[in-house]
Amino acid sequence: MSVDLLHYLLGMLSGSLVGLSLGLFGGGGSILAVPLLVYVVGVADAHTALGTAAVAVAANAAANLWGHARRGNVRWRCGMIYAAAGVGGALLGSTVGKLVDGEQLLLLFALLMLGVAGAMVFRRNVEGNPNVSCGLESAPRTMACGFGSGALSGFFGIGGGFLIVPGLMASTGMTMLHAIGSSLLAVTAFGLTTAGNYALSGFVDWWLAAAFLAGGVAGGMAGSRLASALALKRGLLNTSFAVVIMTVALYMAWRSLAVLVA
């Protein structure tokens, strides 16, 4: 088997895991995509891994959005307000992120994930309002959270679902399941914005991104079905989401520190 073929097969396998995470958690796709590209597929440059991940995650999020929409898990008005506010933040954040050293960026990324994981565990039993509707009263709070998570998503070159899901829950009061479905609107928008900015600097491997997308479709279909099933058990989906984030964050922090200290 040629090295190139193995490279793209690993990309497809990694993409299926990313798609599963996006469909199941509405986030975690880029959390998995970046370390998989760096440590499994073997992308040497961290910025190229971040740019390629942004393309793949945005495309997978758009595909997975359909599955959640069919199940009624998307609150369109809330998701669109959040996404629209975050696009400007993603553009600003991705411009700054390209100027930061790659290994330092990965370490900061890992520390941010640990903080989000802790917040999700703390709020694991928060059920939310299944009939939430975003109006003028909640719009400023939703837009502020959207801009903030968009800026962080752009800075780290990610779709940012692991930021968007808790952001939607905090700003609108919606349930975890609805936040997962609605977050895919923002993940798509932020990912495309970030990917476009990274692509302008040549930090995207387009063939590898295509392999990721191909593998992610099947994984996303399975993930959206699992999300609906797990939502019936109080707190399980929130806890599972936090465990995934925390595990990958600890691994990334360990690898990044080893490189920076060496």
Side-chain angles (χ1 to χ4, degrees), residues 78-107:
C78 299
M80 290 175 70
I81 291 172
Y82 199 98
V87 166
L91 182 60
L92 174 64
S94 58
T95 300
V96 175
K98 290 188 295 184
L99 304 177
V100 179
D101 175 75
E103 288 299 331
Q104 292 178 353
L105 199 60
L106 292 178
L107 178 58

Side-chain angles (χ1 to χ4, degrees), residues 20 26 33 47 128 135 153 160 193 206 230 236 239:
L20 178 66
H47 287 104
S153 297
T193 303
W206 293 103
L230 287 175
L236 179 58
T239 304

Side-chain angles (χ1 to χ4, degrees), residues 8 20 43 75 114 119 126 156 160 187 204 242 251 253:
Y8 292 121
L20 178 66
V43 177
R75 293 294 176 260
L114 287 173
V126 176
F156 291 111
V187 172
V204 174
Y251 179 76

Side-chain angles (χ1 to χ4, degrees), residues 7 13 17 39 70 99 185 189 203 220 233 235 245:
H7 182 75
L13 176 62
L17 295 175
Y39 305 125
R70 284 189 306 161
L99 304 177
L185 280 167
F203 290 134
K233 299 182 178 180
I245 294 174

Side-chain angles (χ1 to χ4, degrees), residues 143-258:
M143 293 176 69
C145 287
F147 184 86
S149 59
L152 289 171
S153 297
F155 180 75
F156 291 111
I158 57 175
F162 73 100
L163 296 169
I164 298 165
V165 170
L168 278 168
M169 292 176 69
S171 62
T172 68
M174 66 174 62
T175 67
M176 176 72 170
L177 182 60
H178 290 139
I180 288 172
S182 304
S183 73
L184 294 171
L185 280 167
V187 172
T188 302
F190 296 176
L192 288 175
T193 303
T194 302
N197 204 350
Y198 271 71
L200 289 175
S201 299
F203 290 134
V204 174
D205 183 332
W206 293 103
W207 287 109
L208 185 56
F212 246 75
L213 176 58
V217 172
M221 292 173 63
S224 62
R225 292 190 179 94
L226 281 172
S228 296
L230 287 175
L232 300 176
K233 299 182 178 180
R234 182 183 177 92
L236 179 58
L237 191 57
N238 301 54
T239 304
S240 300
F241 184 53
V243 168
V244 170
I245 294 174
M246 192 172 296
T247 302
V248 180
L250 289 171
Y251 179 76
M252 288 183 67
W254 173 67
R255 289 294 299 260
S256 296
L257 282 171

